[in-house]
Amino acid sequence: MTPGYDLKRVDFIFQTESDWKEILQKSLSRPPAELINELISSELKGRGGAGFPTGLKWKLAADELSPIKYIICNADEGEPGTFKDREILSKVPMKVLTAMAVCGFVIGSLEAYIYLRGEYFFLKPALNKAIQEFQATCHDLNFDFRIKLFMGAGAYICGEETALFESMEGKRGEPRNKPPYPTSFGYLGKPTVINNVETLAHTYTIFKYGAKRFYDLGVQYSRGSKLFSVSGDSPKPGIYELELGMSLLDFVHDFGDGDTKAVQVGGASGFLVPQKRFAETTIGFQGKLTGISLPTGGSMMLFNSSRSMYNVLDNYLEFFREESCGQCTPCRVGCQQLLNGIKAVKRGEKTGQYLDKLLRLTETMQYTAKCGLGQSVANSFSSIVENFREEMIY
Amino acid sequence: MFLNFIVFFQMCPVSELILNLTDQYGHERTSLLPILQGVVQQENYLSEYAMIEIARALNLSAAEVYGTATFYSFLEYKKMGKYLIRICKTISCSMKGKNQVLMAIEDMLKIKVGETTPDGMFSLLQTNCLGFCHMAPAMLINFDVYTDLTPEKVREILSGYLNRKGGANDTRI
């Protein structure tokens, strides 16, 4: 297969936001059902990584009868290798706020929060200013929509939606059992729409240009564009908006340093793709019939041949061991044992076969852990160990 | 009346701070995190006394406040220096020379990770992904971000803080 070398750059997200008042006014004058249909037909899926259809999420919350509902913008961007949400909130905050207000109008909610990770504390003053300006405009439009900023305090797990609710409720950020899902039982037990920052920014594009403009980008099951945070061994790390459905080979051709050994797609909780699989891997959501399609929250880390994959895995596992909330045993003990295990193999205290035992442990974690964190440790662990076994042992 | 007067003047700064924070954020459980953050911003850490006072103010058990506070890595419960350095140790930063930067800091301040300088000015910690992977390595000093670090650059930055030492300037907002 020859690479096409045609990564399509898109420029929607960081396009000017100066028309936000117009978009807000226009959207608030349309019937809510029409706005939901617009979103559904755009086939926008959540850009935080999980990929739940956004239109459906809004519809489910709109169908709830509760008089109190909440909207939360998830800006607890903690996945290693992602930094797109910060850029959106610092460059085009009005788009996100507008999208939140439109969501409020659609589902019948007047109260919204932005959960901003503690590491981004420096954004707080600018964001508060933007919120003030925005609320004044809402007030002029006779739409009393309130947005508050809630600061996180340094916990990766709080990016998980139910853990985020717990954290906002003043508790330890421990994920809840699902169902019930947030759209029926979210923050304070009320129906809640919780969307990633980028997802909200995309709805702005859809309300501005219509669903078709968005739908025309990308491939089947993976419509639209997405921001990618490129880091690692790349001559041009940074944030890029690209069409979904691209092949990893094209991506590496464009962003690699010519010596790319592997790419970690989706951060520590994602998958490592070795060079031999670049051509058959596309970036998008699951559901494609041929090849491997990997979803991602946008983190793309490139590794060249000078990097030891053992060090990479060691770093990820240490990350998970520290960030596991400790609530369920498979994750709490599993992460510790995986880290101890690969260290023992590296030191020669255990044989290479021990890695198979560890692989079975990740499988157990995948089935038994309570939330996405514990379940997804298996992704990076198995994809690294299976493809770079020698590097783990020698 | 007279007694109240005495109690008011005997109140230590933390209690007064907590009183102000509960006035601002309210007494519900949902105010717990903002209150804890408010105390950390002023005091640099949460003392046991502060946690007990917060528990009292919100009508919670002290254990619950302690359990919540210790869950979050940005709510320190050990006394920290005036300037808290958090250097990112996640993969992108560690690939781009985090260890050399860390060594430069340790050499300059004569402390190891987890320690505080004897004069109480600097504490050094490692932290997980700060979200500046494209400008690695990165660190926070209190809430100020520094990126694209090198040993030389970090020495320059710290000299800046050392020269500021003793001044009233506090970046911990």
Side-chain angles (χ1 to χ4, degrees):
Chain A
M1 187 181 155
T2 45
Y5 303 148
D6 58 344
L7 279 192
K8 283 186 210 140
R9 303 284 172 95
V10 187
D11 178 29
F12 275 140
I13 299 262
F14 294 117
Q15 229 177 50
T16 175
E17 57 169 4
S18 57
D19 50 3
W20 66 270
K21 283 184 190 168
E22 204 181 301
I23 305 293
L24 178 67
Q25 216 163 358
K26 195 181 91 183
S27 306
L28 294 185
S29 63
R30 296 170 68 183
E34 195 185 303
L35 290 164
I36 289 180
N37 285 336
E38 185 98 57
L39 273 190
I40 290 177
S41 59
S42 76
E43 289 189 16
L44 169 65
K45 290 179 180 175
R47 292 302 197 239
F52 191 80
T54 309
L56 182 61
K57 191 182 268 186
W58 287 24
K59 188 175 175 2
L60 287 170
D63 290 345
E64 291 286 332
L65 293 172
S66 165
I68 301 173
K69 298 178 188 177
Y70 296 106
I71 293 159
I72 294 170
C73 168
N74 186 347
D76 193 55
E77 175 179 56
E79 190 63 54
T82 9
F83 37 88
K84 61 186 177 70
D85 293 345
R86 183 195 63 231
E87 209 68 7
I88 297 174
L89 287 175
S90 48
K91 289 203 175 127
V92 288
M94 287 307 180
K95 286 193 179 183
V96 178
L97 301 179
T98 305
M100 289 170 80
V102 174
C103 180
F105 170 69
V106 167
I107 70 162
S109 159
L110 290 172
E111 218 169 312
Y113 294 89
I114 298 176
Y115 188 101
L116 186 67
R117 70 187 299 221
E119 286 84 342
Y120 293 168
F121 190 90
F122 65 93
L123 276 180
K124 194 178 169 182
L127 212 47
N128 267 331
K129 206 172 142 234
I131 290 175
Q132 260 176 17
E133 187 192 338
F134 182 79
Q135 291 195 144
T137 304
C138 280
H139 189 76
D140 293 342
L141 291 172
N142 264 332
F143 182 56
D144 250 326
F145 192 69
R146 290 180 304 277
I147 301 177
K148 284 184 201 146
L149 199 54
F150 193 98
M151 293 304 301
Y156 167 72
I157 188 60
C158 291
E160 201 280 343
E161 48 193 18
T162 57
L164 188 148
F165 300 147
E166 292 285 309
S167 170
M168 283 182 64
E169 290 173 13
K171 301 176 203 153
R172 295 166 68 88
E174 292 174 347
R176 301 172 184 167
N177 281 323
K178 283 195 266 188
Y181 294 100
T183 45
S184 57
F185 190 94
Y187 177 51
L188 297 175
K190 302 289 181 227
T192 305
V193 165
I194 176 162
N195 279 139
N196 177 262
V197 176
E198 189 190 345
T199 313
L200 289 166
H202 279 297
T203 65
Y204 184 92
T205 308
I206 293 166
F207 295 137
K208 181 171 172 184
Y209 293 111
K212 192 169 179 309
R213 256 318 258 284
F214 184 85
Y215 182 87
D216 285 347
L217 295 171
V219 293
Q220 199 183 3
Y221 304 118
S222 300
R223 295 291 173 186
S225 58
K226 162 108 197 66
L227 287 184
F228 289 92
S229 314
V230 181
S231 67
D233 295 313
S234 166
K236 43 178 180 184
I239 297 162
Y240 299 89
E241 188 171 355
L242 304 170
E243 208 174 339
L244 281 176
M246 65 186 169
S247 107
L248 197 53
L249 195 59
D250 293 343
F251 177 85
V252 169
H253 180 83
D254 208 345
F255 291 98
D257 59 359
D259 186 26
T260 307
K261 166 160 100 170
V263 178
Q264 179 82 16
V265 181
S269 64
F271 294 85
L272 184 96
V273 185
Q275 193 188 13
K276 60 179 186 227
R277 299 211 188 282
F278 285 171
E280 64 194 70
T281 307
T282 57
I283 305 301
F285 297 98
Q286 306 289 347
K288 246 186 134 201
L289 291 172
T290 52
I292 313 157
S293 183
L294 294 179
T296 169
S299 166
M300 305 290 270
M301 280 189 265
L302 293 92
F303 302 109
N304 69 19
S305 61
S306 73
R307 306 296 176 187
S308 149
M309 284 301 134
Y310 171 82
N311 288 346
V312 173
L313 183 59
D314 184 290
N315 191 290
Y316 288 163
L317 289 174
E318 197 175 309
F319 174 81
F320 283 127
R321 190 194 58 185
E322 282 176 20
E323 296 294 347
S324 168
C325 79
Q327 176 185 199
C328 74
T329 316
C331 178
R332 182 184 64 244
V333 180
C335 291
Q336 293 167 4
Q337 290 307 317
L338 290 174
L339 185 60
N340 293 342
I342 63 159
K343 280 187 197 292
V345 170
K346 194 72 180 177
R347 284 197 300 261
E349 290 162 14
K350 300 268 183 196
T351 63
Q353 267 92 47
Y354 191 64
L355 290 172
D356 298 319
K357 250 189 176 169
L358 296 177
L359 280 169
R360 282 204 297 281
L361 173 59
T362 60
E363 221 171 286
T364 308
M365 289 166 71
Q366 202 166 9
Y367 288 119
T368 55
K370 188 170 175 179
C371 79
L373 190 154
Q375 291 160 9
S376 61
V377 174
N379 297 349
S380 50
F381 190 89
S382 58
S383 58
I384 293 177
V385 168
E386 276 160 13
N387 288 303
F388 294 96
R389 202 181 174 93
E390 353 42 268
E391 291 190 29
M392 299 300 124
I393 303 170
Y394 304 108
Chain B
M1 180 67 196
F2 183 62
L3 256 177
N4 276 346
F5 195 68
I6 290 179
V7 169
F8 183 74
F9 274 97
Q10 277 183 340
M11 236 166 33
C12 81
V14 187
S15 315
E16 207 178 316
L17 175 65
I18 292 169
L19 203 67
N20 289 339
L21 287 167
T22 45
D23 279 349
Q24 189 185 343
Y25 294 108
H27 293 261
E28 290 81 40
R29 179 85 194 234
T30 48
S31 335
L32 180 56
L33 233 55
I35 292 171
L36 291 171
Q37 286 162 337
V39 173
V40 172
Q41 275 161 32
Q42 282 294 320
E43 300 280 309
N44 284 9
Y45 81 117
L46 289 159
S47 60
E48 258 179 45
Y49 178 76
M51 287 193 259
I52 292 168
E53 284 294 295
I54 293 171
R56 205 196 306 270
L58 299 192
N59 202 12
L60 295 168
S61 84
E64 262 182 292
V65 173
Y66 180 82
T68 305
T70 52
F71 184 85
Y72 298 92
S73 64
F74 274 43
L75 300 175
E76 294 83 18
Y77 49 98
K78 286 184 194 129
K79 198 161 172 51
M80 288 289 156
K82 182 175 176 190
Y83 299 113
L84 178 47
I85 305 167
R86 293 174 207 266
I87 183 156
C88 175
K89 64 170 180 185
T90 305
I91 188 71
S92 302
C93 286
S94 107
M95 278 163 60
K96 303 277 169 171
K98 180 268 295 180
N99 279 338
Q100 285 87 315
V101 174
L102 184 61
M103 266 152 59
I105 302 176
E106 288 178 340
D107 269 2
M108 195 166 168
L109 300 178
K110 309 271 181 291
I111 50 171
K112 296 271 168 223
V113 172
E115 294 177 352
T116 302
T117 51
D119 60 357
M121 289 307 283
F122 295 95
S123 293
L124 178 59
L125 292 177
Q126 297 203 70
T127 185
N128 283 326
C129 193
L130 289 174
F132 287 91
C133 318
H134 57 321
M135 301 193 267
M139 70 173 179
L140 287 178
I141 298 186
N142 293 347
F143 286 109
D144 293 334
V145 185
Y146 297 93
T147 58
D148 296 301
L149 297 172
T150 58
E152 297 76 54
K153 198 171 161 186
V154 83
R155 277 192 281 266
E156 212 173 287
I157 294 165
L158 289 180
S159 309
Y161 277 88
L162 283 167
N163 294 336
R164 231 195 271 184
K165 191 175 161 177
N169 196 345
D170 194 331
T171 54
R172 200 166 192 123
I173 316 160

